[in-house]
Amino acid sequence: MNKILLPTDASIITTYRCQMRCQMCNIWKYPTDQKQEITPADLEKLPDLKFINITGGEPFQRRDIEDIVAVSFQKAPRVVISTSGWHYNQIIDLAKKYPNIGIRVSIEGLSQRNDELRGRSGGFDNGLRVLLKLREMGVKDIGFGITVSNRNSDDMLWLYRLAKELKLEFATATFHNSYYFHKDDNVVTNKDEVTENFHTLIDELLKEKHPKSWARAFFNLGLINYIQGGRRMLPCEAGTANFFVEPYGDVYPCNGLEDKIWKESMGNIRDYSTFEELWYSQQAEKVRSLVRQCPKNCWMMGTAAPVMKKYIKHPGMWVLKNKWNSMRGQRVDITQIPWYNVGQDPRQGDLDFSRVTPFTDTHGVKPDSNIPLVED
């Protein structure tokens, strides 16, 4: 086995408790027992990282969120909390103490659409108030995050324009099925409409002056590819570059696992004296082996961003070509979405392949262990 390095990115799922009632996520129906949720002391075992995302459920349901943030900043220079923005006072108080905190407010559209999709009246107003107040306070790393579904891709463009005018970050995702969301019917049915709206967003991002926006254009191309069922453009290295800690302490490579395909923990952080013991355990390597031939073609920021950085020449060349074309008034060609061969198992991220070659993880067939872990 090639030497696995320690990860750079982590997502801490602090709780499955949530006051929202989102249509694309049923976490709120399966709340965690707050007495059994991971503690700040458990998180002190984490290694030094570059980035930590604190998420949920709703992280601000945790009364000790400030202690969790304190530990997180001991482990990583950049910490971002994903929140509904519902808990205005708690968010503002935290930002006063940690002005370098990142805040991403999940908003699913303009006022009426957002409140309908997120199941609580006033959600849009609360989220916007939070962001405007944070900007007034001088907090820099703030913005919207939208999960695009069948019913809000047109609002995505209005939110992007609003974020641009307010000089806020703008992050996109599309809905997935997983154990995490407790959903198996999140499927984009109006693919042409949603694809065209993403296409417009990509063109707009490439017109901007900031390289970060151009990289986001590439990321959104990956979302189009995912919606269309294409093979994942870059490999998934979940469990290698990044990991998720769920509320009861289990460490998973990602939050896109499904019981009907496979779902296995790398180990529970509470069962080890150090994170390194868990990370280099046989169980962790077994899970990485499963990832290397996982047929799901997920494209989420948590697993896409690390490989975009690692294999930067591929998104970099795409950006250079399409930025040049954009300057000449040409739209991005989304009919030929690239797939980059960097030595990954051809079964990974290829749902069509998996239909003729069943994925066998815990059914008696050992996954291929000869695929290089870190190789270009």
Side-chain angles (χ1 to χ4, degrees):
M1 182 178 82
N2 293 339
K3 178 65 174 177
I4 295 293
L5 301 177
L6 285 170
T8 59
D9 296 19
S11 293
I12 303 170
I13 308 171
T14 53
T15 182
Y16 289 145
R17 291 177 284 134
C18 187
Q19 75 288 327
M20 307 310 285
R21 300 294 182 261
C22 298
Q23 294 186 16
M24 69 289 188
C25 173
N26 285 334
I27 278 181
W28 55 275
K29 293 183 179 180
Y30 303 90
T32 38
D33 180 351
Q34 58 183 310
K35 296 179 181 178
Q36 299 181 37
E37 292 171 344
I38 48 175
T39 67
D42 294 325
L43 299 175
E44 289 177 359
K45 296 178 183 178
L46 296 179
D48 290 336
L49 299 156
K50 293 182 179 179
F51 172 71
I52 291 178
N53 173 227
I54 298 175
T55 185
E58 171 55 67
F60 285 93
Q61 290 271 2
R62 292 286 300 254
R63 295 180 180 177
D64 57 352
I65 186 63
E66 195 171 293
D67 297 328
I68 291 173
V69 169
V71 172
S72 298
F73 270 121
Q74 292 172 11
K75 302 297 180 178
R78 182 166 181 245
V79 178
V80 174
I81 302 181
S82 300
T83 175
S84 65
W86 191 262
H87 300 272
Y88 176 92
N89 290 331
Q90 293 94 316
I91 296 171
I92 300 306
D93 288 345
L94 182 72
K96 288 178 181 176
K97 187 167 185 177
Y98 296 98
N100 56 335
I101 191 73
I103 299 290
R104 292 294 179 275
V105 176
S106 297
I107 293 180
E108 309 311 326
L110 299 179
S111 181
Q112 183 175 345
R113 187 70 54 83
N114 173 81
D115 292 359
E116 178 186 352
L117 292 177
R118 295 189 69 82
R120 294 294 297 269
S121 178
F124 178 87
D125 294 348
N126 280 350
L128 188 58
R129 285 192 193 100
V130 164
L131 290 170
L132 291 175
K133 181 61 177 180
L134 291 172
R135 192 184 67 168
E136 179 185 287
M137 293 165 56
V139 180
K140 303 296 185 184
D141 193 359
I142 57 175
F144 294 122
I146 181 173
T147 299
V148 175
S149 60
N150 296 313
R151 300 170 58 190
N152 66 344
S153 66
D154 51 345
D155 272 23
M156 169 186 68
L157 296 174
W158 290 113
L159 281 179
Y160 162 71
R161 292 159 187 153
L162 178 61
K164 188 177 177 181
E165 288 295 323
L166 296 176
K167 295 180 172 56
L168 300 171
E169 300 289 336
F170 184 71
T172 52
T174 189
F175 59 12
H176 289 66
N177 295 312
S178 79
Y179 82 93
Y180 176 75
F181 304 111
H182 296 278
K183 293 286 286 185
D184 59 9
D185 59 352
N186 279 339
V187 179
V188 173
T189 53
N190 54 337
K191 294 183 180 181
D192 290 344
E193 177 185 355
V194 174
T195 294
E196 178 54 31
N197 285 324
F198 270 119
H199 193 181
T200 299
L201 177 63
I202 290 171
D203 287 334
E204 291 299 313
L205 287 167
L206 285 171
K207 291 176 183 177
E208 293 192 29
K209 298 179 180 179
H210 308 292
K212 189 174 183 179
S213 297
W214 310 339
R216 284 177 174 158
F218 181 87
F219 174 79
N220 281 281
L221 182 72
L223 291 177
I224 290 177
N225 182 54
Y226 165 77
I227 290 168
Q228 294 178 344
R231 181 164 51 164
R232 187 181 158 112
M233 295 192 298
L234 287 168
C236 178
E237 295 186 355
T240 301
N242 68 287
F243 64 93
F244 281 71
V245 184
E246 62 90 53
Y248 293 136
D250 274 313
V251 175
Y252 288 100
C254 72
N255 65 339
L257 304 178
E258 295 182 69
D259 288 316
K260 67 181 181 181
I261 299 177
W262 75 279
K263 173 177 175 273
E264 195 156 345
S265 168
M266 303 173 80
N268 193 295
I269 197 169
R270 289 167 164 165
D271 295 336
Y272 294 84
S273 58
T274 68
F275 184 83
E276 287 78 3
E277 289 179 14
L278 183 155
W279 195 247
Y280 293 114
S281 67
Q282 290 185 348
Q283 177 61 21
E285 172 49 24
K286 177 186 176 184
V287 169
R288 280 188 281 267
S289 182
L290 297 175
V291 170
R292 289 195 291 274
Q293 55 177 273
C294 178
K296 294 197 69 178
N297 67 334
C298 309
W299 190 255
M300 303 180 186
M301 184 59 70
T303 54
V307 293
M308 284 175 60
K309 294 174 184 175
K310 179 178 177 179
Y311 303 106
I312 187 63
K313 67 180 182 182
H314 298 302
M317 291 299 294
W318 182 92
V319 163
L320 287 174
K321 173 185 174 181
N322 286 281
K323 177 61 178 176
W324 171 248
N325 288 340
S326 175
M327 294 171 64
R328 298 163 61 199
Q330 298 179 12
R331 299 197 75 189
V332 170
D333 181 5
I334 63 170
T335 62
Q336 298 294 324
I337 297 180
W339 177 76
Y340 302 103
N341 184 352
V342 295
Q344 67 268 48
D345 189 314
R347 289 166 289 191
Q348 190 198 64
D350 188 350
L351 292 168
D352 287 332
F353 193 106
S354 70
R355 293 189 184 105
V356 296
T357 307
F359 178 74
T360 51
D361 57 330
T362 57
H363 302 290
V365 179
K366 182 179 179 181
D368 188 350
S369 61
N370 295 320
I371 303 300
L373 298 184
V374 183
E375 185 171 285
D376 186 351

